[in-house]
Amino acid sequence: NVTAPDFAERFVGTAVSEFKGLDILINNAGYTWDNVIQKMTDEQWYAMIDCHLTAPFRILRAAQPVIRALGKAETEAGQRMMRKVVNISSMAGLFGNPGQTNYAAGKAGIVGMTQTLAKEWGRMNVTVNCVAYGLIKTRLTGNAAEGGTAHIDGRDIKVGVNPDLMAAMERGIPLGRGGTPEEAAGAVYLLCIPESDYVSGQTLVCSGGLTGF
Ligand SMILES: NC(=O)c1ccc[n+]([C@@H]2O[C@H](COP(=O)([O-])OP(=O)(O)OC[C@H]3O[C@@H](n4cnc5c(N)ncnc54)[C@H](O)[C@@H]3O)[C@@H](O)[C@H]2O)c1
């Protein structure tokens, strides 16, 4: 659970002990818990902010001393090794989406965090970018009629999208369909390979050509 207060330290510590370093960090864990603002509880609000904003903040804060030490040692040895952070945002964070005040706020916040850390961490040879998804066909956006739930942070959260709504959304996408998980991962991959070593502080929209809702 990324929202556990001690998660960040354990996560970074495990990466270092298991892999002897920390080269690529992706803040991806997330879910939605929708409601129109007049019905949204504080619990719903904080659940989204905790997962989509506070958890990445804590993870990146915990990673900084490790990355700084690794970068310093490499610089002293005359080497330059680029490291990569990719934070996962959403078109809801860029353009808003009805029923998602909480989620959109978190996903917009991670864009600001990304832009700030790109400036703070550039000297450590770290690129910090975002990928903002449109509609990707995952558990999150599966068939709501099948009654899927995800057990997250001690709660059972309904997942899925109404199939009629899903079909209408897909018709609005220039490529005519939602993306696959592999296509979603491809956008992250682009920001992790050496060819993107001079790209930082950017938000790459992975949406099949959709540019707004
Ligand atoms: N699927 C889409 O259309 C879409 C669109 C925009 C953004 N996103 C974002 O993409 C990311 C991945 O979502 P997905 O579509 O693959 O959904 P998914 O439900 O298939 O996968 C998300 C994963 O995150 C995990 N997770 C959620 N909360 C967690 C927590 N507190 N601690 C640890 N793990 C947690 C879930 O258990 C799940 O394994 C999320 O950040 C989501 O908001 C997805």
Side-chain angles (χ1 to χ4, degrees):
N1 179 8
V2 297
T3 67
D6 64 341
F7 177 84
E9 301 295 339
R10 283 191 285 119
F11 174 70
V12 171
T14 304
V16 172
S17 62
E18 293 292 316
F19 301 110
K20 312 294 172 223
L22 189 51
D23 301 337
I24 296 174
L25 202 161
I26 318 294
N27 277 304
N28 176 65
Y31 64 104
T32 53
W33 192 4
D34 296 357
N35 223 333
V36 287
I37 195 166
Q38 66 273 24
K39 294 183 185 168
M40 188 173 286
T41 63
D42 281 6
E43 188 186 3
Q44 270 176 296
W45 168 261
Y46 283 115
M48 291 295 98
I49 299 302
D50 288 351
C51 183
H52 296 281
L53 207 47
T54 307
F57 158 70
R58 287 183 180 148
I59 290 167
L60 293 163
R61 182 176 60 182
Q64 196 276 353
V66 172
I67 291 175
R68 187 190 54 203
L70 290 166
K72 190 163 176 274
E74 286 153 7
T75 301
E76 283 169 4
Q79 301 162 348
R80 183 173 63 205
M81 155 121 180
M82 298 301 293
R83 290 187 167 76
K84 311 278 185 166
V85 173
V86 182
N87 294 317
I88 303 303
S89 184
S90 165
M91 287 184 73
L94 304 183
F95 301 104
N97 198 26
Q100 295 192 324
T101 309
N102 51 358
Y103 178 77
K107 290 303 198 187
I110 197 77
V111 173
M113 197 185 306
T114 299
Q115 291 169 333
T116 299
L117 284 190
K119 292 180 178 176
E120 287 189 13
W121 288 16
R123 291 292 194 277
M124 300 195 303
N125 295 320
V126 182
T127 67
V128 187
N129 291 292
C130 255
V131 171
Y133 293 124
L135 176 62
I136 307 295
K137 293 187 149 185
T138 64
R139 180 181 67 168
L140 189 72
T141 52
N143 187 343
E146 289 168 8
T149 55
H151 189 73
I152 296 169
D153 201 4
R155 304 180 187 94
D156 287 320
I157 304 285
K158 280 186 191 157
V159 292
V161 177
N162 172 296
D164 294 337
L165 178 60
M166 174 64 91
M169 285 160 71
E170 289 195 279
R171 281 196 295 276
I173 297 170
L175 285 180
R177 58 179 177 80
T180 65
E182 290 76 15
E183 289 169 326
V188 175
Y189 174 73
L190 290 176
L191 295 169
C192 295
I193 57 177
E195 285 78 359
S196 65
D197 276 357
Y198 206 61
V199 177
S200 194
Q202 304 304 305
T203 298
L204 175 61
V205 177
C206 177
S207 66
L210 192 66
T211 51
F213 290 120

